[in-house]
Amino acid sequence: MTAEQGPRHRLGIHSLVWVGAWSPEEARHAVSSSAEAGFDLVELAALDPWAFDTDLTARLLEEHGLAAAVSLGLGEDTDVSSEDPERVAAGRRLLSQAADLVRDVGGDYLGGVVFSRLGRYDAPVTERGRAHSVESIALLADQAAASGITIGLEFCNRYETNVLNTTAQTLQFIEDVGRDNVVAHLDTYHMNIEETSFREPVLAAAAAGRLGYVHVGESHRGQLGTGSVPWREFFDALDEVGYDGTITFESFSSRVVHPTLSSNLAIWRDPWTDSAELARGARSFLAEHLGH
């Protein structure tokens, strides 16, 4: 299937390309800039979902004709894969608030590292900790289903979680959760570290009926097409399975980053300095490879 024959995806961009937080001024800048760059969706980084002005955000999205997704990574005190019941309870409260945020801004997707802390662990996840995580996602999925929200599990590299590092692990986790609105969230940056193929994971997720969201990120977190990700293999695989869901560009630089993420994601340098130039380049790259 050629790019011209492929499905019309909803193309998104991560808010951290534009801003490090979500003040009214930052919200206006991120939403308007995303629309001007030609994207259909902005993915909100909701590390503190209580801090969002949902009414303003919803108005801005409507004004600029954009859809919204929400993503986050849990912290040490909100780690639902912990054996500590207080941390698990705190994580569940945060995830519940994030689901409310998605609902209140008119979004339909909540994803990211919602199953564990975002950061390096010192040991493998324990059986009890994994059970806490599975139960937490099941509870979150039940809440989200009432608002038509899909929950995406973004498996990450070994330095950012010890629970889900591969597509295969994620599909097994989803089976254990047992909820129809839970999907696999594939991210090329992490796949480039942990997977042995860019085609087989896509086929496996699609065959399981769980291929639900895609992050496109380059191997060095910079401009698409300038690193080592085998893009043609990946996009051909998406075409092969007829994926027509959201594809969101994600990139981080120390120039624009949330203070917490700078440490958790080891953002110590500037893969880019001009947000608008980066966004335009990514949109052009996606148009070239997807035909729209």
Side-chain angles (χ1 to χ4, degrees), residues 38 91-92 127 135 150 154 190 205 207 234 245 266 271 275:
R92 291 177 180 177
E127 182 177 348
E135 182 181 9
T150 298
E154 181 181 5
H190 301 291
F234 183 67
S275 298

Side-chain angles (χ1 to χ4, degrees), residues 155-159 161 164-167 169 188-197:
F155 60 90
C156 291
N157 69 76
R158 68 196 72 182
Y159 309 110
T161 179
L164 300 178
N165 302 132
T166 67
T167 305
Q169 287 178 313
T188 57
Y189 171 81
H190 301 291
M191 292 174 68
N192 195 52
I193 298 172
E194 299 292 348
E195 302 283 14
T196 59
S197 162

Side-chain angles (χ1 to χ4, degrees), residues 4-262:
E4 290 73 16
Q5 296 171 325
R8 178 64 168 86
H9 307 87
R10 187 170 66 170
L11 300 183
I13 186 167
H14 201 288
S15 65
L16 287 175
V17 168
W18 306 110
V19 296
W22 203 253
S23 67
E25 294 75 19
E26 288 168 314
R28 292 186 184 94
H29 175 60
V31 173
S32 63
S33 297
S34 298
E36 290 169 9
F39 289 92
D40 309 306
L41 172 147
V42 59
E43 182 178 314
L44 311 179
L47 300 182
D48 180 5
W50 287 276
F52 278 70
D53 184 333
T54 56
D55 290 340
L56 172 64
T57 302
R59 289 198 303 271
L60 288 170
L61 292 168
E62 183 177 7
E63 176 185 345
H64 293 278
L66 290 185
V70 171
S71 64
L72 62 106
L74 298 176
E76 185 172 357
D77 293 336
T78 55
D79 185 355
V80 296
S81 72
S82 172
E83 293 197 350
D84 181 347
E86 291 186 4
R87 294 184 180 185
V88 173
R92 291 177 180 177
R93 288 193 296 271
L94 188 150
L95 292 174
S96 176
Q97 182 65 26
D100 286 346
L101 169 61
V102 179
R103 178 199 64 200
D104 293 344
V105 301
D108 59 11
Y109 183 82
L110 172 60
V113 187
V114 295
F115 47 83
S116 79
R117 174 170 61 86
L118 177 61
R120 185 179 179 277
Y121 285 82
D122 295 327
V125 64
T126 65
E127 182 177 348
R128 182 182 179 191
R130 187 182 185 280
H132 282 164
S133 182
V134 168
E135 182 181 9
S136 298
I137 297 302
L139 292 170
L140 176 64
D142 289 342
Q143 175 187 343
S147 301
I149 296 169
T150 298
I151 301 300
L153 307 183
E154 181 181 5
F155 60 90
C156 291
N157 69 76
R158 68 196 72 182
Y159 309 110
E160 295 179 26
T161 179
N162 65 353
V163 177
L164 300 178
N165 302 132
T166 67
T167 305
Q169 287 178 313
T170 305
L171 294 177
Q172 180 59 60
F173 190 100
I174 292 173
E175 184 175 336
D176 294 341
V177 170
R179 299 296 190 274
D180 291 339
N181 62 326
V182 180
V183 299
H185 175 150
L186 274 62
D187 184 311
T188 57
Y189 171 81
H190 301 291
M191 292 174 68
N192 195 52
I193 298 172
E194 299 292 348
E195 302 283 14
T196 59
S197 162
F198 273 73
R199 177 176 178 268
E200 296 304 324
V202 172
L203 269 58
R210 298 294 188 170
L211 178 56
Y213 198 87
V214 168
H215 267 167
V216 286
E218 191 50 90
S219 58
H220 48 48
R221 294 286 195 190
Q223 185 58 264
L224 299 180
T226 64
S228 60
V229 172
W231 293 108
R232 192 67 272 161
E233 178 187 353
F234 183 67
F235 288 127
D236 283 350
L238 294 180
D239 278 347
E240 185 176 345
V241 301
Y243 177 71
D244 60 358
T246 301
I247 298 177
T248 293
F249 171 57
E250 181 183 53
S251 181
F252 303 115
S253 174
S254 61
R255 185 63 60 95
V256 181
V257 70
H258 188 282
T260 301
L261 284 179
S262 183

